[in-house]
Every structure is written in C-alpha cells, then in structure tokens.
Amino acid sequence: MRDRKGRMVAGVCAGVARYFGLDVTLVRVIVAVVSVITGGAGVLAYLAAWVIIPGEGETTSIAQNLIGAKQDA
C-alpha cells in the first residue's frame, strides 16, 4: 500500500520502504539513481507503481478504479 505518512509525492517509496522494512530515504535514493542511470525508466516505474498500488486505507488502486468505471459505462 502507498503510505500516507512520510510521503513526498504519492507515497510509493514510503510504502515500499515499509513493506520491505527499509529506510524510506534509501528507497528514494535508489529510485533516483535508477532514474538517472536508465534515462527515466525509474520515473516510469514510479508512475506505474502509483497507478497499480492502492493507497493506504483504500481497497482498490487507481487502475482498478479506471477499469471498473469503463466496465460500468
């Protein structure tokens, strides 16, 4: 789950850090380094995680909400 506490943008790094028991700063540095080394692939991975991983206190992700809305229409 994306964490609401300690988030800077969407809570992806904070959620990943909590899930794996790591320091959130370490996860943020890893994402930044991967983004620089891969020419932006880390940013795309972050955005994908933002869409796929549900937020704290939510039962569905943004992607599931979009898919459900399309099926209801």
Side-chain angles (χ1 to χ4, degrees):
M1 297 226 168
R2 291 182 291 115
D3 204 359
R4 289 184 189 259
K5 287 191 223 174
R7 71 181 185 179
M8 294 186 88
V9 178
V12 172
C13 290
V16 168
R18 186 176 61 172
Y19 183 80
F20 289 108
L22 300 172
D23 181 46
V24 68
T25 305
L26 175 65
V27 175
R28 289 180 180 141
V29 168
I30 291 170
V31 169
V33 169
V34 168
S35 295
V36 169
I37 290 173
T38 61
V43 174
L44 291 176
Y46 185 92
L47 293 173
W50 186 355
V51 171
I52 294 170
I53 300 171
E56 184 177 4
E58 299 174 6
T59 57
T60 59
S61 68
I62 295 170
Q64 289 171 321
N65 291 338
L66 290 173
I67 292 169
K70 287 182 181 179
Q71 289 177 354
D72 291 339

